[in-house]
């Protein structure tokens, strides 16, 4: 293979010469098996590099297919984290960093694991539920963000949707229909109950535009507002905060240049579900823009 063994691996060459063996892959693999067996302690293999005076560590990672086999062979994970935090006795920090990485990498799996061991997990509160709570207690619009600022501080930033998501529900009340359906994320697995809610699209859009025009009528008058140049509706959706939300962005332009165009958002439907990964792709599938509708 063009490798100069005598320069790079002098000790290996001496061993091969003493044993009268050729240095090939089979010889190296057989030698490595015995060296690992000689130096391995549990799941760890450590050696000291005489040149750099550093201790090099390796951990044997088994392949597990069941929870039982994982728990029987879980020592490798503890050993890996202990090694990672061995400098300056940062063992707790090593566990914290690993937990943060896993939460970002596979959030749904981490939440499922926390629930399984009985640790409290806060289910994200969607914009629909946030607005419903504020209306039930007749909370003034200006006080909503104050209340949720304190709640986010206690439960975490991701426990509640943002102000934009709440505004998408519209200023005027439109009945929200809530239902559920049984769904299996992966073919062959047990079905789960999926909750979803939606609005009458025509009613929601009509009321939203009407309320916006009514708010402008005192300043510009109905005669100018009646002369609508065009209405652009951009529909789309995205997954976040434990739910998929579908809505639209509406832009109303007027013939009179003195009347500013009105742009606002509406949330029209929500499906409380987790985001799943397509087995045929490396990245999560994300909902994208659905369509664009421009009407005079």
């Amino acid at each position: 293979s063009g490798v100069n063994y005598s320069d790079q691996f002098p000790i290996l060459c001496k061993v091969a010469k003493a044993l009268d063996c050729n240095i090939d892959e089979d010889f190296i693999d057989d030698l490595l098996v015995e060296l690992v067996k000689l130096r391995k302690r549990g799941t760890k293999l450590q050696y000291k590099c005489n040149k750099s005076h550093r201790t090099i560590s390796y951990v044997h990672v088994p392949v597990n297919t069941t929870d039982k086999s994982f728990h029987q062979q879980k020592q490798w994970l503890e050993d890996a984290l202990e090694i990672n935090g061995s400098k300056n006795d940062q063992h707790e920090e090593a566990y914290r960093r690993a937990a943060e990485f896993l939460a970002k990498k596979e959030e749904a799996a981490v939440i499922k694991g926390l629930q399984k061991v009985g640790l409290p997990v806060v289910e994200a509160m969607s914009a629909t539920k946030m607005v419903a709570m504020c209306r039930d207690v007749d909370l003034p619009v200006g006080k909503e963000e104050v209340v949720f600022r304190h709640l986010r501080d206690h439960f975490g930033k991701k426990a509640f949707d943002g102000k934009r998501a709440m505004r998408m529900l519209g200023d005027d009340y439109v009945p929200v229909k809530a239902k559920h359906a049984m769904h299996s994320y992966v073919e062959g697995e047990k079905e789960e109950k999926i909750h979803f809610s939606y609005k009458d699209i025509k009613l929601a859009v009509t009321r939203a535009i009407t309320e916006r025009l009514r708010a402008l009528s005192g300043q510009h008058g109905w005669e100018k507002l009646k002369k609508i140049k065009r209405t652009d509706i951009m529909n789309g959706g995205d997954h976040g905060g434990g739910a998929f939300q579908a809505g639209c962005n509406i832009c109303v332009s007027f013939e009179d240049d003195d009347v500013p165009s009105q742009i606002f958002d509406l949330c029209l439907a929500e499906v409380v579900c987790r985001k799943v990964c397509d087995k045929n792709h490396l990245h999560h599938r994300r909902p994208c823009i659905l369509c664009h509708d421009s009407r005079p």
Side-chain angles (χ1 to χ4, degrees):
S1 59
V3 179
N4 191 335
Y5 287 101
S6 59
D7 291 339
Q8 297 187 44
F9 312 106
I11 298 177
L12 177 62
C13 290
K14 289 180 181 179
V15 173
K17 185 177 181 180
L19 297 175
D20 193 22
C21 296
N22 294 324
I23 300 177
D24 54 20
E25 290 188 2
D26 291 337
F27 172 73
I28 294 175
D29 287 344
D30 292 339
L31 184 60
L32 184 60
V33 168
E34 294 190 358
L35 289 174
V36 169
K37 186 177 180 180
L38 179 66
R39 299 302 301 269
K40 186 178 177 183
R41 299 294 183 270
T43 65
K44 293 187 294 185
L45 187 151
Q46 293 180 316
Y47 68 91
K48 186 177 180 180
C49 180
N50 294 323
K51 290 184 178 180
S52 63
H53 302 289
R54 294 175 58 190
T55 299
I56 311 298
S57 303
Y58 293 94
V59 176
H60 175 221
V61 181
V63 177
N64 302 122
T65 58
T66 65
D67 289 359
K68 184 178 180 180
S69 64
F70 173 82
H71 288 293
Q72 288 175 342
Q73 299 175 306
K74 62 184 178 182
Q75 187 61 41
W76 68 270
L77 183 56
E78 184 175 343
D79 288 341
L81 291 173
E82 290 293 326
I83 292 170
N84 183 252
S86 59
K87 189 175 182 179
N88 299 327
D89 196 26
Q90 292 191 1
H91 298 104
E92 185 175 341
E93 287 298 292
Y95 279 79
R96 177 189 59 78
R97 288 189 285 262
E100 288 182 2
F101 169 77
L102 291 173
K104 292 178 181 179
K105 184 71 175 178
E106 291 291 344
E107 181 180 338
V110 171
I111 292 176
K112 192 173 181 180
L114 292 174
Q115 291 173 334
K116 191 169 183 178
V117 298
L119 290 177
V121 178
V122 178
E123 183 179 350
M125 191 176 190
S126 66
T128 304
K129 294 180 180 178
M130 293 166 66
V131 172
M133 182 184 75
C134 294
R135 285 173 177 160
D136 283 345
V137 299
D138 198 22
L139 190 66
V141 176
K143 300 294 183 181
E144 291 177 354
E145 184 54 31
V146 177
V147 172
F148 284 109
R149 185 169 67 246
H150 287 281
L151 291 175
R152 287 189 185 95
D153 182 67
H154 181 76
F155 292 103
K157 294 181 179 180
K158 289 188 176 183
F160 304 93
D161 273 339
K163 291 187 292 184
R164 177 181 173 84
M166 291 184 67
R167 288 198 301 266
M168 285 183 69
L169 291 169
D171 298 325
D172 192 26
Y173 176 71
V174 177
V176 178
K177 299 179 181 179
K179 295 184 178 181
H180 70 269
M182 300 305 295
H183 173 72
S184 176
Y185 287 97
V186 180
E187 187 177 354
E189 287 192 356
K190 184 179 179 181
E191 291 187 336
E192 301 178 33
K193 183 181 288 187
I194 304 297
H195 295 273
F196 63 93
S197 58
Y198 61 95
K199 296 179 180 180
D200 183 303
I201 297 178
K202 182 178 179 180
L203 179 61
V205 173
T206 301
R207 286 192 177 180
I209 294 177
T210 301
E211 285 301 309
R212 187 56 63 97
L213 295 180
R214 184 179 290 121
L216 288 173
S217 62
Q219 181 180 357
H220 298 284
W222 281 109
E223 290 302 317
K224 291 184 178 181
L225 298 180
K226 287 180 180 178
K227 299 177 181 179
I228 296 177
K229 185 177 181 180
R230 59 186 290 166
T231 300
D232 294 300
I233 301 176
M234 185 77 75
N235 303 312
D238 195 11
H239 189 285
F244 174 85
Q245 290 188 336
C248 65
N249 176 277
I250 302 175
C251 178
V252 182
S253 304
F254 301 90
E255 295 284 355
D256 196 317
D257 294 334
D258 293 335
V259 183
S261 298
Q262 298 298 301
I263 303 174
F264 50 98
D265 301 318
L266 286 177
C267 181
L268 301 172
E270 178 183 79
V271 183
V272 181
C273 61
R274 65 176 185 268
K275 184 167 56 178
V276 296
C277 184
D278 189 338
K279 294 180 180 179
N280 297 321
H281 298 83
L282 293 177
H283 301 286
H284 291 292
R285 289 176 294 175
R286 296 179 181 273
C288 58
I289 295 300
L290 301 176
C291 65
H292 177 267
D293 187 11
S294 176
R295 302 186 181 185

